[in-house]
Every structure is written in structure tokens, then in C-alpha cells.
């Protein structure tokens, strides 16, 4: 068996993971290892009070990982980036939000838009340090929409066409309101399969977790799935 190039600490969920999602092995050109963290539900991790999360299983998984890179399937783990990264001499990348400082070095805040699963939660005081005073638009999924409800309620079926249509509409609304945006940063790893929906109305730079990992390990991600 080939040695894995990446360890992915996956939330304990059953909703579909399409190619392009970090927790889908078909997103990668090289072997990866998926490790489900028991009881790490969406509600447990996407929290306004992240300190309430029992991090012990994540800590053990990071400490024992032997792959050259370790990541997670939820961008809200950015809150624990430094804490978990210190546990192993292999790079730990919690979230696409780790790219925010580099983006801010090239763009003004109003030129960057963060697309997130839940904007209300990401805007909570607990995440202020992770966002480092970012003042640009932070846009979440429609909480009444199909994609949000599928993830939130952990449904085993997903209508990808409906999800794509919702994200295309979200992008149009974002650009209509924030016409200066030149870069989209996808906090949520479940958004990456819908690159065509974003590209239908946006020609600027798009950063997601797959792009960050592929920059650290070129050739890791299937080229057709890089945004």
C-alpha cells in the first residue's frame, strides 16, 4: 500500500463529500488518509464558543500522524491552528483562513471576501484573533438553503445542482454589493466542489484549502479540481 501524502481529520458526518471536497479521496492525485474524529459533529465544531469543544481526539490524531501534511475538513478549526500545529513537527493546516495574512499583503480588505458556512458564528468574538481585524465582507450560506441544511442537519443526500445554483446566486449578490472584490477565500471545504458556480460570475482569485495544500505539496490535488 502506498504511503499517504496527507492526513485529513474529518468531522463525524454522513453528508455527501463530492470530488473537490477535502474529505473526498477522489479529490487527490496521491494517496491520502481520512480519519474520522468521533463525535466531532458540525454543531460541535462550528461554535461561537470553540473552547467548549473536546479537542483531545484531534490532539491525539495530530500527535500520532506520520504523514508529511495534516489538515482538517472544517475551516472553523482555525481557532486551534497554533495549538494543534505545535503538537507535531509536520505542518498542520487547519483551514483556508490560514491564507488570509498573505492575501491581505496583496489586497485591501474590501477586495477580499470570505465565504463561510456560517457568517454569524465566524463573526463571534472568539474568532477575532484568527481574523486579525479583517474588515472585508464575510458572507455565509443562506440558512434556509439546501446546501446549508444538508450540512447542518447531516442529511445523507445532496442535490448538487441545487447547491451549485445557490452558490452562483450567492456570488452574484456578493459582487453586486461589494464590487471591489478581487479574491474569494473559501473557509468552508464543502464549497470547493462548486468551482464552476463561482467561476460563472467571478474572474478573480479564489483560494481554498485544496489550493493551499497543493502549494505545499505540488501535484497532491487533481489538477482539474484546483479552482
Amino acid at each position: 500500500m502506498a504511503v499517504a501524502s496527507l492526513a485529513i481529520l474529518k468531522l463525524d458526518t454522513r453528508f455527501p463529500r463530492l470530488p473537490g471536497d477535502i474529505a473526498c479521496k477522489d479529490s487527490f492525485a496521491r494517496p491520502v488518509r481520512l480519519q474520522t474524529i468521533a463525535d466531532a459533529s458540525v454543531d460541535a465544531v462550528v461554535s461561537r464558543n470553540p473552547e467548549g469543544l473536546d479537542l483531545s481526539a484531534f490532539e491525539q490524531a495530530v500527535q500520532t500522524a506520520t504523514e508529511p501534511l495534516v489538515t482538517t475538513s472544517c475551516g472553523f478549526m482555525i481557532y486551534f491552528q497554533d495549538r494543534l500545529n505545535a503538537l507535531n513537527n509536520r505542518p498542520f493546516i487547519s483551514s483556508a483562513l490560514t491564507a488570509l495574512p498573505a492575501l491581505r499583503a496583496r489586497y485591501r480588505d474590501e477586495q477580499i471576501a470570505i465565504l463561510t458556512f456560517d457568517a454569524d458564528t465566524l463573526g463571534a468574538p472568539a474568532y477575532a484573533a484568527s481574523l486579525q481585524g479583517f474588515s472585508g465582507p464575510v458572507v455565509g450560506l443562506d440558512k434556509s438553503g439546501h446546501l446549508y441544511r444538508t450540512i447542518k442537519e447531516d442529511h445523507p443526500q445532496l442535490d448538487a445542482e441545487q447547491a451549485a445554483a445557490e452558490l452562483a446566486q450567492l456570488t452574484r449578490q456578493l459582487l453586486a454589493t461589494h464590487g471591489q472584490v478581487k479574491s474569494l477565500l473559501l473557509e468552508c471545504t464543502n464549497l470547493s466542489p462548486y468551482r464552476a458556480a463561482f467561476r460563472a460570475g467571478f474572474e478573480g482569485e479564489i483560494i481554498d484549502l485544496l489550493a493551499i495544500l497543493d502549494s505545499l505539496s505540488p501535484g497532491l490535488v487533481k489538477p482539474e479540481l484546483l479552482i
Side-chain angles (χ1 to χ4, degrees):
M1 181 179 295
V3 176
S5 301
L6 171 71
I8 303 161
L9 310 185
K10 176 185 171 295
L11 299 195
D12 195 354
T13 59
R14 62 174 181 166
F15 64 81
R17 303 287 188 155
L18 307 180
D21 191 303
I22 195 74
C24 175
K25 288 187 175 181
D26 289 337
S27 300
F28 301 95
R30 299 203 297 267
V32 299
R33 179 174 65 86
L34 277 169
Q35 179 175 347
T36 298
I37 304 300
D39 300 321
S41 65
V42 171
D43 281 346
V45 176
V46 182
S47 170
R48 297 175 66 88
N49 178 32
E51 281 295 333
L53 176 67
D54 180 0
L55 201 62
S56 57
F58 284 98
E59 291 174 324
Q60 183 178 15
V62 172
Q63 286 174 322
T64 58
T66 59
E67 291 78 9
L69 282 172
V70 185
T71 192
T72 73
S73 70
C74 181
F76 279 83
M77 291 298 292
I78 186 66
Y79 182 83
F80 302 105
Q81 170 65 38
D82 293 342
R83 180 171 166 181
L84 293 175
N85 190 47
L87 297 178
N88 198 321
N89 59 5
R90 292 162 174 79
F92 170 78
I93 311 297
S94 62
S95 171
L97 292 171
T98 57
L100 186 57
L103 281 175
R104 296 177 80 188
R106 294 188 285 117
Y107 300 109
R108 300 188 305 276
D109 280 8
E110 63 267 25
Q111 295 177 312
I112 305 167
I114 296 174
L115 297 188
T116 179
F117 172 68
D118 190 321
D120 293 331
T121 301
L122 192 59
Y127 297 96
S130 299
L131 297 183
Q132 301 176 8
F134 178 71
S135 61
V138 177
V139 179
L141 298 184
D142 177 358
K143 293 184 179 181
S144 66
H146 173 69
L147 182 57
Y148 181 90
R149 289 185 291 105
T150 297
I151 298 169
K152 175 76 171 177
E153 300 168 15
D154 202 21
H155 294 308
Q157 285 85 37
L158 169 68
D159 185 330
E161 290 187 4
Q162 185 175 350
E166 291 176 353
L167 293 175
Q169 176 64 16
L170 181 71
T171 305
R172 287 192 293 269
Q173 292 173 341
L174 166 66
L175 297 176
T177 306
H178 303 280
Q180 297 184 63
V181 168
K182 295 183 178 181
S183 180
L184 301 181
L185 178 58
L186 308 186
E187 169 276 315
C188 181
T189 62
N190 311 125
L191 302 183
S192 296
Y194 304 99
R195 56 202 172 280
F198 296 116
R199 282 299 179 204
F202 181 70
E203 297 180 354
E205 182 177 16
I206 301 177
I207 300 293
D208 67 354
L209 187 54
L210 288 180
I212 294 169
L213 295 170
D214 196 73
S215 72
L216 295 171
S217 182
L220 174 64
V221 178
K222 289 181 178 179
E224 64 271 22
L225 297 179
L226 290 170
I227 297 178

